[in-house]
Amino acid sequence: MNSIVFQKKQLPYFFLIPLVLGPFFLFLLALGSITFEAIGDHSWTPLLEQDWLKDSILLSLQISLGSAAGGTAIGLILCWWLYRYRTAEQARPWLQIGVAAPHLIVAVTYALLLSSGGILSRALGLLGFISLPSDAPFLPRDPHGLAVILAYWVKEIPFVVFITLPLLQGPFEKWVEASATLGASPFEQFTKIFLPRVALTTWGIFLLVFSFSFGSFEIPYLLGPSQPLVVPLLAWESYLSPIENENSIGILLAVVQLAVIIFCLAAFVVTLVLSKNRHWPSNSKKWSWPSYNKNTGGRG
Amino acid sequence: MNIQRRIPLRLIAGLPLLSFASLILFSFSPRIPWPSLWPKEFSGEAWSKLLLSSDLGASLLESVAIGLICVSICLLCCLPAAHTLGLKKIPYSNVWLTVLITPALVTGFGPGIGIAETLSHLDLTGSRWGTALGHSVAAYPYLLLVLATKWRSQGESLEEQAQSLGESPVKVWLRITLPQLGPAIGTGSLLVFVSSFGDYLLTSLISEGSIETLPLALYPLIESGDRPAAAAASLVLILPVIWIAWLSSRTQRRRAKR
């Protein structure tokens, strides 16, 4: 009897086995294999001796920061706009295309629209603003990675809107209505109600997008500068290189990217822990930033 | 007021529409002299190359085959797991779900190289199944999340009633669970398929040059300046995404009508 009860209780866990011992285990093995190879077999010296490493990391950080900060900011403004004018439902299918579109297609489309022979260059040429195709703005492979940042925005802005829109339901609508009754301007509603409501989520999205942009490959491959290369391209080229020493550089760069992801995850966890001491707007609690309370160790 | 309503909507809808229009235009026009926006002649050569030529056609079929294998692997692993995480009251089910969807957060070339290394140790690189297995690591979290969320919102009261009336578990699964879960399975599978169908990085790392999918064939087309073929291949790659958007908007409209 006891064994039957035991089996029934354990049954739900058996259903997890195919996933836990399948793709998820492969994922853990993947993380483990590069970490162990980086610690064990490979020396960091050849990587650290490379002159291009610093330039590549700086370019990757610059692109990640530009895409994450710009994409998040524009996404938030767009989200507020869609909420304020009640047009989110109409925009949803179009935004979904942006979120689900493969990076590769975004890069190809960017190249067709904004390359020297693209639609923008032709339109500007027809209007007489430029006389040569190469004079067009936002051309791919610019040295600062602007084309890469703009292409990332195409994916990230819809993503930000998608994540933040569900937060603007329920109590949020009551706060907006109450503030409008009390005479708040749309700008005040944006800065004093909308931004505090989405602050924590926005920080999470920013970190997610930052780490994603740092490790993403397809868009920089098609649109990024050829000198210096961004870190994902360097890692890819090194890993697939037939020279063994270069292969190990690819693995070491993979560890660098994992470190960036872990840093971003840790930053978000720290923010979550710190924000526990604050009253985020909710149905039951009054919106305030509480002062330190000695009796409760700072909690409220 | 109307203009303020329309501006963001037109921007949001305008960019994909302009992209599709330019992809269609470029796919049918081999040469458009600068700065003209309209081609002097149209040609279906790129499409016939994509659909009929042995190389590109084979790449397209390979992509579809790998995508379908990947969807099958993900369904086999995620359906039982989502059942547990969505319906059964196991301790820390949210923690389980969060941990199991981390592959969607930890993405990029780092984990990609790790997956390629692991599959290489298991002697699975350079094969269709190995490539699909690698893709499934990055894609399964979408399916798991969609299925677990659907199961949580739906509950299993109908199944319990059917079982109490004497139906066998297999019949309950086929007649009640599956029809209810159908749209979620469809959407989740489509997301997995899109992720696998459009993947370049993992495929290039795992395939070792012996497998060529459509994304792998697309880069040389762009670099060689074969713009019509690149545009046609891109349109094929974006079709499942448009299908997802259409399905989702249809579901939304139905919900709104109710």
Side-chain angles (χ1 to χ4, degrees):
Chain A
M1 184 68 180
N2 272 345
S3 69
I4 293 169
V5 174
F6 172 79
Q7 280 175 6
K8 273 197 168 181
K9 270 189 174 177
Q10 305 307 317
L11 195 63
Y13 292 101
F14 284 110
F15 286 150
L16 294 175
I17 288 174
L19 185 61
V20 173
L21 293 183
F24 185 69
F25 189 59
L26 185 58
F27 171 71
L28 293 182
L29 281 179
L31 297 188
S33 77
I34 49 167
T35 311
F36 281 116
E37 284 208 43
I39 296 168
D41 297 348
H42 301 284
S43 160
W44 287 83
T45 324
L47 178 67
L48 297 173
E49 278 173 358
Q50 307 295 332
D51 299 330
W52 38 254
L53 178 67
K54 192 180 143 197
D55 292 341
S56 287
I57 289 182
L58 281 178
L59 179 67
S60 285
L61 287 175
Q62 178 186 315
I63 288 174
S64 307
L65 199 63
S67 72
T72 311
I74 298 170
L76 286 181
I77 293 168
L78 186 62
C79 182
W80 170 247
W81 199 314
L82 291 175
Y83 171 80
R84 191 169 139 65
Y85 293 105
R86 309 280 168 199
T87 44
E89 280 310 312
Q90 289 140 285
R92 187 183 289 270
W94 301 107
L95 292 170
Q96 238 156 8
I97 291 175
V99 172
H103 281 77
L104 178 67
I105 303 306
V106 174
V108 174
T109 312
Y110 186 101
L112 291 178
L113 289 176
L114 300 179
S115 66
S116 55
I119 301 287
L120 180 69
S121 147
R122 290 166 188 276
L124 292 175
L126 276 177
L127 293 170
F129 288 114
I130 57 172
S131 52
L132 287 170
S134 56
D135 291 340
F138 312 124
L139 288 177
R141 303 213 178 277
D142 66 295
H144 305 293
L146 186 63
V148 181
I149 293 174
L150 289 176
Y152 276 139
W153 283 2
V154 173
K155 291 278 300 166
E156 287 159 7
I157 292 169
F159 177 70
V160 175
V161 176
F162 248 82
I163 303 289
T164 42
L165 263 178
L167 300 174
L168 312 185
Q169 289 170 348
F172 179 81
E173 295 191 273
K174 288 176 192 162
W175 302 333
V176 173
E177 277 170 28
S179 66
T181 315
L182 293 169
S185 68
F187 182 73
E188 280 174 323
Q189 288 176 332
F190 179 75
T191 51
K192 293 182 178 168
I193 302 174
F194 174 75
L195 286 183
R197 175 73 181 114
V198 299
L200 188 63
T201 309
T202 304
W203 176 233
I205 293 170
F206 172 83
L207 291 169
L208 187 66
V209 168
F210 180 86
S211 75
F212 182 83
S213 311
F214 190 85
S216 184
F217 170 84
E218 282 93 346
I219 289 178
Y221 187 39
L222 259 186
L223 306 174
S226 45
Q227 197 64 37
L229 285 174
V230 292
V231 176
L233 277 181
L234 264 181
W236 181 76
E237 281 193 354
S238 312
Y239 183 73
L240 293 181
S241 164
I243 305 162
E244 200 177 324
N245 197 29
E246 288 203 6
N247 179 280
S248 68
I249 288 178
I251 292 174
L252 294 177
L253 284 171
V255 178
V256 172
Q257 195 232 333
L258 277 185
V260 170
I261 293 173
I262 290 165
F263 173 79
C264 289
L265 286 176
F268 187 63
V269 171
V270 168
T271 320
L272 273 182
V273 171
L274 290 177
S275 68
K276 269 194 168 181
N277 288 342
R278 289 173 180 169
H279 291 295
W280 293 95
S282 74
N283 230 354
S284 56
K285 288 174 183 171
K286 193 182 164 190
W287 167 231
S288 63
W289 295 88
S291 55
Y292 185 80
N293 186 336
K294 281 178 190 172
N295 298 328
T296 58
R299 284 164 204 270
Chain B
M1 188 67 130
N2 268 340
I3 291 171
Q4 283 167 323
R5 262 175 77 96
R6 282 179 196 156
I7 287 172
L9 263 183
R10 285 193 175 164
L11 274 176
I12 291 166
L15 188 62
L17 282 175
L18 182 67
S19 306
F20 299 142
S22 55
L23 284 174
I24 292 168
L25 182 75
F26 281 119
S27 74
F28 283 106
S29 34
R31 259 185 231 120
I32 313 175
W34 194 89
S36 173
L37 277 167
W38 199 248
K40 282 183 181 162
E41 53 175 297
F42 286 95
S43 158
E45 198 186 324
W47 285 99
S48 64
K49 202 195 273 184
L50 179 69
L51 300 172
L52 302 173
S53 97
S54 57
D55 289 350
L56 273 180
S59 305
L60 176 61
L61 285 179
E62 190 69 71
S63 292
V64 173
I66 290 174
L68 291 177
I69 296 171
C70 180
V71 169
S72 311
I73 294 171
C74 291
L75 276 174
L76 277 174
C77 297
C78 290
L79 268 172
H83 184 264
T84 290
L85 296 171
L87 288 179
K88 305 296 168 191
K89 285 173 184 164
I90 62 165
Y92 307 111
S93 66
N94 278 337
V95 177
W96 273 100
L97 188 60
T98 311
V99 170
L100 286 172
I101 61 164
T102 40
L105 307 175
V106 183
T107 57
F109 69 91
I113 287 177
I115 291 167
E117 280 283 296
T118 310
L119 289 173
S120 166
H121 291 314
L122 299 170
D123 213 14
L124 281 169
T125 44
S127 71
R128 187 182 287 167
W129 283 89
T131 310
L133 187 61
H135 286 183
S136 71
V137 176
Y140 85 78
Y142 305 114
L143 182 62
L144 181 68
L145 208 54
V146 169
L147 291 178
T149 312
K150 176 70 181 170
W151 246 317
R152 275 184 186 180
S153 66
Q154 179 178 302
E156 59 178 348
S157 55
L158 278 176
E159 281 94 332
E160 282 168 356
Q161 281 175 31
Q163 272 183 338
S164 69
L165 290 170
E167 280 286 18
S168 69
V170 178
K171 277 189 178 173
V172 170
W173 168 260
L174 289 175
R175 289 186 181 172
I176 298 172
T177 312
L178 209 58
Q180 278 191 319
L181 212 61
I185 292 177
T187 310
S189 302
L190 212 51
L191 284 172
V192 169
F193 185 79
V194 165
S195 166
S196 166
F197 197 50
D199 181 87
Y200 182 93
L201 178 66
L202 270 175
T203 315
S204 68
L205 292 170
I206 299 169
S207 66
E208 289 183 338
S210 54
I211 290 195
E212 188 166 80
T213 57
L214 197 56
L216 291 196
L218 188 56
Y219 272 92
L221 292 176
I222 296 161
E223 281 174 357
S224 66
D226 192 348
R227 201 183 295 209
S234 303
L235 275 171
V236 170
L237 283 167
I238 198 90
L239 278 179
V241 176
I242 296 170
W243 193 12
I244 289 179
W246 178 76
L247 276 179
S248 162
S249 92
R250 197 184 62 163
T251 315
Q252 288 288 335
R253 259 184 275 135
R254 279 185 182 173
R255 247 184 237 161
K257 272 184 190 172
R258 274 181 215 161

